Every structure is written in structure tokens, then in C-alpha cells.
Amino acid sequence: MQTVESVIAGLNHWIETLPKELSRLQELEITERPLPNKWSKKEILGHLCDSAINNIERFVKIQYEEQPYVIQVYNQDHWVALQHYQETPLDEILQLFCALNKRAIHIISHIPAEKLASTCIIGNGEHKTLDWLLQDYLAHMEHHIKKQILA
């Protein structure tokens, strides 16, 4: 099990590394969709921004809302489509990714240790802790970055 410090270190790693890695790719590599109904690398990065937006709210609310806090799901495909990440300059999406994750780090670094046991109900009805949610956030990010964006 990761610690809060390792989640923060992981987020910092991708804030530093991802812009450098993406700068090595050609425009076609970033914008090409593997299939018509699949996201491009650029859209996947946009999805990670959407994930940050939604999870920042969760990281805050779970600390003060009634327990267990019920996680509201969001339609990921609609978020990506309606924000038009495919047409947005990559630098703009990267700046958003970095800014949102710096904000997430700030919030995470100020969570009192006792709040890490706060509970939530995720989409499938399972009960999880805030600590689990933090770790899952980084794992989700790394899955998309390692297996899709940089693959």
C-alpha cells in the first residue's frame, strides 16, 4: 500500500516528466485516434484533467460531508467531447494538467491523518477510504499515461 507521500511523489513525477515526454511526440501521434470511437493521446490527457477536476472535489468533500460520502460519477465521454480537447493546443492541456495536479498535491498534503480513514461509496457501491481514493487517483493516472499516452 502506498503512503500519502508516495502519492504526492508520483503526482510530482508526472507533472515534471509528462511535458518532456510529450514534447518528443509528433502532432499526428498526439492527435490520431486508434479507432473512431477511441480517444487520442491528447484526449486522454484531457480526460486526466477531467479526472483531476472531479477528484479534487471528492478529496475536499469527503473530509466534511456526512459519512459515507457518495461519489457522484460523471460521463467521461461527454466531458472529453464537450471540452473539445482534440482541437485544443497540447500546451494548453498540459498547463491545465500540471496546474490541477499541483492543486491536488496542495490539498492532499494538508489532509489530516485521521481524515484518511473517511469513507465513501464509489460507483459500484463499494465502501472505500479517502486513503484508497488518493491511491486510486494516481493508479488511474499512471494507467493512462503508461499504457496509452506514452505506449
Side-chain angles (χ1 to χ4, degrees):
M1 181 173 275
Q2 295 181 338
T3 64
V4 170
E5 292 78 19
S6 64
V7 171
I8 291 170
L11 295 177
N12 273 318
H13 168 76
W14 291 115
I15 289 169
E16 290 294 318
T17 305
L18 194 55
K20 294 173 193 165
E21 292 293 328
L22 286 176
S23 71
R24 297 183 179 128
L25 299 179
Q26 299 297 316
E27 182 69 18
L28 182 60
E29 292 177 276
I30 295 166
T31 58
E32 185 177 39
R33 291 184 174 130
L35 294 169
N37 61 339
K38 296 289 183 184
W39 293 333
S40 68
K41 293 176 188 299
K42 196 193 259 192
E43 289 171 311
I44 293 166
L45 181 61
H47 164 66
L48 292 178
C49 293
D50 298 341
S51 174
I53 291 165
N54 281 275
N55 278 286
I56 285 169
E57 178 181 2
R58 295 166 181 168
F59 299 160
V60 172
K61 285 186 171 181
I62 194 173
Q63 294 184 69
Y64 72 86
E65 293 277 346
E66 184 178 325
Q67 303 292 298
Y69 172 68
V70 179
I71 299 281
Q72 298 298 313
V73 296
Y74 67 102
N75 186 310
Q76 300 170 4
D77 290 322
H78 286 308
W79 275 63
V80 168
L82 294 171
Q83 295 203 61
H84 302 277
Y85 288 120
Q86 187 72 345
E87 297 83 33
T88 304
L90 178 62
D91 285 350
E92 188 178 315
I93 303 170
L94 273 170
Q95 288 173 10
L96 181 61
F97 172 85
C98 292
L100 287 167
N101 282 290
K102 285 177 183 177
R103 176 72 346 205
I105 289 168
H106 182 77
I107 293 164
I108 293 166
S109 67
H110 288 88
I111 296 173
E114 65 274 8
K115 291 290 185 180
L116 293 172
S118 298
T119 59
C120 63
I121 300 174
I122 61 174
N124 61 8
E126 284 186 77
H127 288 246
K128 299 292 183 180
T129 63
L130 174 54
D131 186 53
W132 179 90
L133 196 63
L134 299 174
Q135 293 172 44
D136 185 64
Y137 175 68
L138 177 60
H140 169 259
M141 176 189 293
E142 290 186 330
H143 165 80
H144 283 298
I145 291 172
K146 291 177 180 178
K147 296 196 185 284
Q148 296 172 316
I149 296 176
L150 299 180

